[in-house]
Amino acid sequence: MAIEEEKKFINLINGNQGLIHKVCIMYANDPEARNDLFQEIVLQLWRSFPSFRGEAKITTWMYRIALNTAISGFRKKTRNVQTEDLQEVHFNIRDHCGDDREEDINKLQSAIRQLTEVERAMIMMALEEVPYDEIAETIGITQNNVRVRMNRIREKLRKLMG
Amino acid sequence: MEFDDLKTIWKSTGQFQPKDDIALAAMLKGTSQSIISKLKRSAWFELIFTLIAGIGLLVYALTLPAGALKWISISLLVLLVAYSFYYIKKLVLLNRFDAAHENLRSNLEQLVEKFSSYLRFYKRSYAILYPLYFFLGLIFTALERGATEFFDVIMRPRTIGFLVLFATVFFFFSTWLTNWYLKKLYGNHVEKLKLVLKDLSE
């Protein structure tokens, strides 16, 4: 029974690994920290899995736990974050994209990293095309507030990306 | 650059090294590094330590003849029992905490509230315990030297001056040490959580 539950959970994670990876990229600066955060998110999801009844969408449930873990529940180990760490997060795009696209990705990434942690969570969900009502539910603010904040964040990004 | 352009750029950032089933299964058996799990481990450690110390003290108290030392041991035992109840209550509250059912804002509010009350309790209990330890130290000295000699020595102005100075230095140093230790352990994290919460409320 427990093995079946574990298999079911691993299948679920396999289908949504991208979501967890993106949260890790947003909130951890280097591969080691990203790996630690990934593991912690998976562990928290696993612990909450028995209480997941499917009332919320699976992605809403995953975003909620992943963001709660990344922003408030997890203490990063104290490390000196070098500027190279930020440059290092290229999302492995070098082999996949041309120079212009790589430059755009770096610009977007560097702009996102200048946002606050809450703004980062919101823009990530918006870029992933999560509906505003789900963003509101995950963050704990009203849909109106999401709209107002999203406008501000887009404006901020536009300025940061030049 | 329009938002749709940003979405297109964002989509091409989706390359990552997926974890295989074996790696994922191994992760499920790992130890959580979450702040709540750390608090739980620390509460368990404190509870077990308190219980062991309590049992040791009880065994020692039972071997003592009636007298001041026995009463001091019993008063310490009462204190340890009170601490044990506090740790059990803390563990029950921590076990009820579930980030899966809360949105980011409620999760932050609960964490800030829990951490702040935890830090408050520690600071207050140490503010009470330090003077108590100090007076217990005096009583132990009195018992060792005999009451008459003890009162002779303690009434001397030089001894009073020394005790006042020692109590002041002891109190300030131990308070500073507690504050520094708690801030290092949890204080910075609480400040960070408060900032995120403030950002959400603005």
Side-chain angles (χ1 to χ4, degrees):
Chain A
M1 192 69 182
I3 295 170
E4 251 176 56
E5 196 74 354
E6 195 177 300
K7 270 187 189 164
K8 205 170 140 192
F9 177 76
I10 289 175
N11 282 340
L12 180 103
I13 295 293
N14 275 333
N16 295 280
Q17 272 205 46
L19 185 157
I20 308 175
H21 275 285
K22 283 190 174 169
V23 171
C24 295
I25 285 164
M26 281 282 187
Y27 292 98
N29 287 333
D30 60 272
E32 197 193 335
R34 282 200 291 280
N35 208 42
D36 288 348
L37 182 55
F38 188 96
Q39 182 166 351
E40 188 61 39
I41 292 172
V42 170
L43 204 54
Q44 294 303 327
L45 286 166
W46 173 235
R47 286 181 176 179
S48 303
F49 188 54
S51 62
F52 177 66
R53 302 264 173 266
E55 288 141 2
K57 267 176 75 179
I58 194 86
T59 47
T60 310
W61 174 72
M62 287 183 83
Y63 270 123
R64 196 189 296 154
I65 294 176
L67 290 172
N68 274 339
T69 306
I71 296 176
S72 58
F74 186 66
R75 271 179 85 191
K76 298 163 190 91
K77 285 174 193 155
T78 313
R79 296 178 66 248
N80 291 326
V81 178
Q82 308 287 324
T83 43
E84 288 88 333
D85 285 340
L86 302 181
Q87 297 303 317
E88 192 191 328
V89 188
H90 278 225
F91 309 173
N92 304 330
I93 38 88
R94 198 174 287 275
D95 298 336
H96 304 276
C97 312
D99 283 351
D100 287 351
R101 178 48 55 92
E102 190 184 337
E103 199 188 319
D104 283 343
I105 292 171
N106 284 340
K107 263 190 185 174
L108 174 63
Q109 187 200 340
S110 147
I112 287 175
R113 283 187 175 274
Q114 291 178 63
L115 300 174
T116 66
E117 293 190 319
V118 175
E119 289 172 338
R120 262 185 260 170
M122 291 177 71
I123 195 70
M124 181 185 68
M125 286 192 277
L127 289 168
E128 288 286 321
E129 298 180 329
V130 175
Y132 278 8
D133 60 333
E134 270 185 57
I135 299 181
E137 197 188 323
T138 309
I139 304 287
I141 54 178
T142 62
Q143 277 192 56
N144 248 350
N145 205 333
V146 172
R147 243 173 242 119
V148 174
R149 278 169 178 265
M150 280 310 303
N151 285 337
R152 257 189 261 158
I153 297 169
R154 282 182 202 179
E155 196 50 45
K156 216 168 162 182
L157 275 182
R158 209 167 283 145
K159 277 184 191 160
L160 287 167
M161 290 182 75
Chain B
M1 202 177 275
E2 291 308 311
F3 196 62
D4 283 338
D5 300 324
L6 294 184
K7 278 185 192 167
T8 315
I9 300 171
W10 175 255
K11 289 220 161 68
S12 50
T13 66
Q15 311 295 328
F16 58 88
Q17 189 73 45
K19 312 269 182 199
D20 59 27
D21 288 6
I22 299 166
L24 287 172
M27 283 179 190
L28 307 186
K29 289 165 185 72
T31 310
S32 171
Q33 294 305 312
S34 82
I35 205 80
I36 291 292
S37 300
K38 282 183 180 175
L39 276 180
K40 274 188 207 168
R41 283 199 287 272
S42 137
W44 270 113
F45 173 77
E46 286 163 323
L47 177 64
I48 291 167
F49 182 80
T50 307
L51 289 174
I52 292 172
I55 292 166
L57 196 63
L58 179 68
V59 171
Y60 173 68
L62 288 174
T63 63
L64 290 171
L69 198 55
K70 189 162 192 155
W71 285 113
I72 289 168
S73 305
I74 289 169
S75 60
L76 277 177
L77 265 174
V78 173
L79 201 70
L80 293 179
V81 170
Y83 266 89
S84 302
F85 278 114
Y86 167 74
Y87 293 134
I88 291 166
K89 190 189 160 202
K90 198 165 94 174
L91 278 167
V92 170
L93 288 175
L94 286 171
N95 280 330
R96 272 190 213 148
F97 188 84
D98 185 1
H101 295 124
E102 304 294 340
N103 56 48
L104 186 62
R105 180 200 280 265
S106 331
N107 188 54
L108 281 165
E109 283 168 349
Q110 283 195 39
L111 277 175
V112 167
E113 199 270 320
K114 276 198 168 58
F115 276 116
S116 304
S117 62
Y118 185 74
L119 294 179
R120 253 197 321 272
F121 169 80
Y122 259 83
K123 282 181 188 170
R124 280 181 193 164
S125 65
Y126 279 105
I128 296 165
L129 282 179
Y130 288 141
L132 188 73
Y133 292 147
F134 185 76
F135 284 110
L136 281 176
L138 284 181
I139 291 168
F140 277 121
T141 316
L143 287 170
E144 198 183 301
R145 291 204 168 192
T148 320
E149 195 191 337
F150 174 75
F151 282 112
D152 270 354
V153 175
I154 206 169
M155 294 312 245
R156 286 178 202 155
R158 207 177 143 195
T159 315
I160 293 171
F162 171 75
L163 281 176
V164 170
L165 182 73
F166 181 74
T168 312
V169 171
F170 181 75
F171 181 77
F172 281 106
F173 178 71
S174 50
T175 308
W176 172 83
L177 192 71
T178 310
N179 286 341
W180 172 82
Y181 179 65
L182 289 176
K183 192 169 180 190
K184 195 170 166 55
L185 274 183
Y186 306 111
N188 294 333
H189 192 67
V190 178
E191 289 312 310
K192 187 216 142 182
L193 295 181
K194 280 183 184 167
L195 279 176
V196 181
L197 196 57
K198 194 179 161 207
D199 181 29
L200 257 177
S201 311
E202 271 169 4

